[in-house]
Amino acid sequence: MELVSKYNPTDIESKWYQYWLDNDFFSSKPDDREPYTIVIPPPNVTGVLHMGHMLNNTIQDVLVRRARMQGKNACWVPGTDHASIATEAKVVGKLAAEGIKKTDLTRDEFLGHAWDWTHKHGGIILEQLKKLGASCDWDRTAFTMDEPRSESVIKVFIDLYNKGLIYRGVRMVNWDPKALTALSDEEVIFKEQQGKLFYLKYKIEGEDGFAVVATTRPETIMGDTAMCINPNDPKNAHLKGKKVIVPLINRVIPVIEDDYVDIEFGTGCLKVTPAHDVNDYMLGEKYNLTSIDIFNDNGTLNENGAQYAGMDRFDVRKQIEKDLKTADLLDKVEAYTNKIGYSERTDAVIEPKLSMQWFVKMENLAKPALEAVMSDEIQLYPAKFKNTYRHWMENVKDWCVSRQLWWGHRIPAYFLPQGGFVVANSKEEAYEKALSTVNYPLSIDELRQDEDVLDTWFSSWLWPISVFDGINNPENDDIKYYYPTNDLVTAPEIIFFWVARMIIAGYEYRNDLPFKNVYFTGIVRDKLGRKMSKSLGNSPDPLDLIAHFGADAVRLGMLLTSPAGNDLPYDDSLCEQGRNFNNKIWNAFRLVKGWHLPPTPSQGGGEIPQPESARMAVKWFEAQLNKTLIEIDDLFSKYRLSEALMAVYKLFWDEFSAWYLEMAKPAYQQPIDRTTYEATLGFFDSLLKVLHPFMPFITEELWQALEDRKEGESIMIQLQPKAVVADEKLITEFEYAKEIIAGIRTVRLQKNIPNKEMLSMQIIQKAVTAALTSDSVSDGFTKFVPVIAKLGNLETIENVTDKAAGSISFLVGTTEFSIPMGSLINAEEEIAKMEAEIKYFEGFIVSVMKKLGNEQFVTNANPEVVEAERKKQADAESKIASLKEGIASLKK
């Protein structure tokens, strides 16, 4: 293959992705190999690719591609989530734009629109993932509302109900007045907010005095059914056994006593509104108080709201403040900061509400899932999330799984005409069950299915099992082969929503963990540290980045600064760094493929011997490659992917390109020996394979060009190079040689001596004679003499006891090396420069000595500061001595 001079990702990415698809390289079927499985965290069916998806799916693809190249049967299952609340909101919005209200449609009509929306938009994000290079088994694409997954969800609901683990009851729930549905505790986000604390005056019945109550929610007084004081509160002891009158509505309510009341908060008097506060609800249950629901589902006040009926709750708060002032029933108002619950989906302020809902009993279900993580049977990366997980699992609450929506899995409960219900897989099955439980005539049409649907997470928690149809067919080949999966890559903010619940479901339905490792990604943030979001307008379009920089460059940029669990500070310069690395690889490949072998004997030529410098280069890089392979294996085992990428990045950029290729390349327009050339192509092959999981497109392109390939061959199904024990001594010795070469290059730079100008080098043995013994690191100098001579462009290297006159020296360790300058420099100019430097250092010493001669400074300053000044003096004196020695040498 002839490579163009400049790498253009646009030309190759779609070509190779289609090639991989055409050859079914992503496809996986059970066989006798070790399986490696990842299930994708299913993105919302309404979604499009954002930066978080880019990071998450790049990490998954790296893990899957590496496993595939380790000879494992890698299976990455893609899919999407039906996202009840988000999708229903999108469909309602679309219909509203067309002048259609949801309330004007039947359930079936609305679901028709929802399915149309899903079919139109549902595949967008998965198609976008292909641009990233995601090597998913697309034939296995699942959807949480497709037939096998829906059957699984209903089957699990019925099973848990039959086990007594699902119940229906009136409980205080988190109500989203915008989405018009209950939410679980995990779907509520608490935000700190500046508000007001209102001090309301409740008249004591039969007296002239008032009891004052502090509240942040004066609009709920219409639901007050008691006032509560702490029995141990002396300042409110006069209220014991009395009644008070609710301001404005004049309802008489009792004063009750309970230790729950915080004596220090406000006045120590608490208004009790059982229908609209979780803690008040518990007091209501304890003291058998009436509950008065004052809110409609949309957050307006209902008929119990008296004169405020029909008004929005926040408008009522403003109006009631004015009315209380007018009636002289508002004692005072203070600024107050508290935490308010918001809907995770709609950002509406949550309204605590008594509601009939379905719940899953979680306490016993959670126990094996807690043990699995705390015993490290399931490992979390980073491990700091174990404490977060433990805290939630030890305090787990029953899970509210019903949602007042139409889009989703409809709850399989059927109500009977004279009360009660049956839970069944279908209306027909429910009818059969009902006939055996009722003693009155019943027709199937009299059964009414529950209108609610299940929480979206109730389908997602089955995902690692249901994608292999392990609920419906628990003994099928796929579930037995691929389950448990290996790695889960997800965000820490859904550790409770999803991760914990999948572990619970795994133990309940497979008696096994769902995955062995959980890798938590961080949040992608902008340069200012803000989370990227559409509302802030600070998130680039990932597809635009791919179009501009190429998928490999974006993948590299995302991974270079994204250690597990830590946030990624994104900037376009990361993608530029990725693009530069692509260009580095491309140009290095073109350089190597530009080398030519000597003519064959039949062409009048013959084989040429391998130069010693090239032989040592091959030997050294082989050791360096093995060392890095061992390091990468270790980093992957610890899920430190960012560091693994940096290790291979440095191996290619620093060791291979900057050192090895310089050591191995032939002289200008000269042929290269076959041994070095084949070794170099072998190294390139290994490097491309190690890079492939991170950068799949450019590595496929170059691997195909490395030698003639057959149709159906691909780098992605080759085995990763296996590390052997690295020759650490040789690597250390060459580090010493590198310092010598760097010293020579510094001399050239300082003295403006062109690289093409040949130099000589002397080793001054009087410094440390033992430095060149076979046991020392500097023995590497003797092994790498040909390399040092080549890269330093040295004519001779000799051992001397005294350096030549007019030479420039440098130290490596304790050994002095000297480069005779001869006529290469102007002695007078160099002497003048050195004398100027001596003058500077002498002035510097004078200023230091002033400090050290000041008795007050020496006595009062910290000993470390005084010692630092003395070191400055000694360093300057050493430099002066070295400069004077250099001047003397030049004057000889």
Side-chain angles (χ1 to χ4, degrees), residues 501-780:
R501 289 172 180 162
M502 281 191 289
I503 299 172
I504 290 169
Y507 282 101
E508 182 66 16
Y509 287 101
R510 298 297 302 175
N511 196 30
D512 201 354
L513 45 79
F515 28 72
K516 300 178 184 78
N517 306 288
V518 182
Y519 179 107
F520 289 112
T521 62
I523 296 169
V524 184
R525 298 187 180 276
D526 65 12
K527 286 186 284 189
L528 302 176
R530 300 174 303 174
K531 183 177 179 179
M532 286 191 168
S533 68
K534 279 189 281 188
S535 58
L536 287 175
N538 64 343
S539 180
D541 183 333
L543 295 182
D544 288 346
L545 292 178
I546 289 173
H548 185 67
F549 295 104
D552 287 333
V554 177
R555 289 166 65 114
L556 194 87
M558 296 289 281
L559 286 175
L560 277 174
T561 56
S562 58
N566 291 335
D567 293 349
L568 184 152
Y570 175 79
D571 183 72
D572 279 355
S573 62
L574 292 170
C575 294
E576 288 169 12
Q577 185 179 359
R579 181 171 59 189
N580 292 343
F581 190 48
N582 273 297
N583 290 335
K584 186 77 172 179
I585 297 168
W586 189 263
N587 291 334
F589 188 86
R590 291 185 68 244
L591 171 70
V592 171
K593 292 298 277 187
W595 296 344
H596 63 277
L597 293 166
T600 62
S602 62
Q603 295 169 325
E607 293 294 334
I608 57 175
Q610 183 183 32
E612 184 62 17
S613 59
R615 188 185 74 81
M616 287 307 300
V618 169
K619 195 174 176 185
W620 163 75
F621 190 75
E622 187 173 21
Q624 188 67 56
L625 175 62
N626 280 310
K627 180 184 178 183
T628 306
L629 290 176
I630 292 167
E631 180 187 358
I632 290 169
D633 286 345
D634 179 62
L635 290 169
F636 264 99
S637 74
K638 296 168 182 171
Y639 290 81
R640 288 156 62 177
L641 273 62
S642 185
E643 292 171 62
L645 172 58
M646 185 53 73
V648 67
Y649 178 95
K650 287 179 177 177
L651 176 68
F652 192 96
W653 193 292
D654 297 339
E655 310 298 358
F656 185 70
S657 296
W659 286 103
Y660 174 78
L661 291 181
E662 290 301 308
M663 293 153 69
K665 72 180 181 183
Y668 181 64
Q669 291 189 338
Q670 295 301 305
I672 188 168
D673 68 280
R674 186 174 297 278
T675 303
T676 305
Y677 185 63
E678 289 178 353
T680 305
L681 293 183
F683 290 147
F684 226 115
D685 180 80
S686 293
L687 289 166
L688 291 175
K689 287 172 181 173
V690 177
L691 281 165
H692 177 76
F694 302 103
M695 309 170 72
F697 293 109
I698 190 171
T699 51
E700 182 73 83
E701 176 79 0
L702 296 181
W703 186 83
Q704 295 283 348
L706 201 57
E707 59 182 73
D708 291 336
R709 308 290 183 191
K710 297 173 186 172
E711 179 63 28
E713 286 189 290
S714 170
I715 189 173
M716 67 175 285
I717 54 173
Q718 303 301 305
L719 290 177
Q720 285 266 309
K722 281 193 171 12
V724 297
V725 178
D727 188 340
E728 294 278 0
K729 186 169 183 288
L730 187 72
I731 293 169
T732 306
E733 288 167 347
F734 186 58
E735 289 303 310
Y736 184 87
K738 280 183 183 177
E739 291 188 56
I740 298 172
I741 295 163
I744 299 166
R745 289 171 173 172
T746 300
V747 170
R748 284 186 182 276
L749 188 67
Q750 289 175 344
K751 306 306 176 187
N752 294 318
I753 302 169
N755 287 330
K756 64 183 180 181
E757 193 81 50
M758 294 197 81
L759 299 174
S760 294
M761 185 175 76
Q762 299 172 335
I763 306 107
I764 316 302
Q765 289 193 311
K766 71 175 182 180
V768 180
T769 307
L772 291 177
T773 63
S774 59
D775 294 331
S776 95
V777 169
S778 57
D779 181 40

Side-chain angles (χ1 to χ4, degrees), residues 162-180:
N162 290 336
K163 290 174 178 173
L165 293 171
I166 283 184
Y167 64 93
R168 184 172 183 261
V170 175
R171 298 287 185 277
M172 183 67 70
V173 297
N174 305 297
W175 186 261
D176 182 337
K178 187 172 181 182
L180 302 178

Side-chain angles (χ1 to χ4, degrees), residues 282-296:
M282 290 189 288
L283 285 172
E285 290 279 286
K286 186 174 179 179
Y287 295 100
N288 201 24
L289 300 175
T290 306
S291 285
I292 303 172
D293 187 345
I294 66 166
F295 288 119
N296 293 313

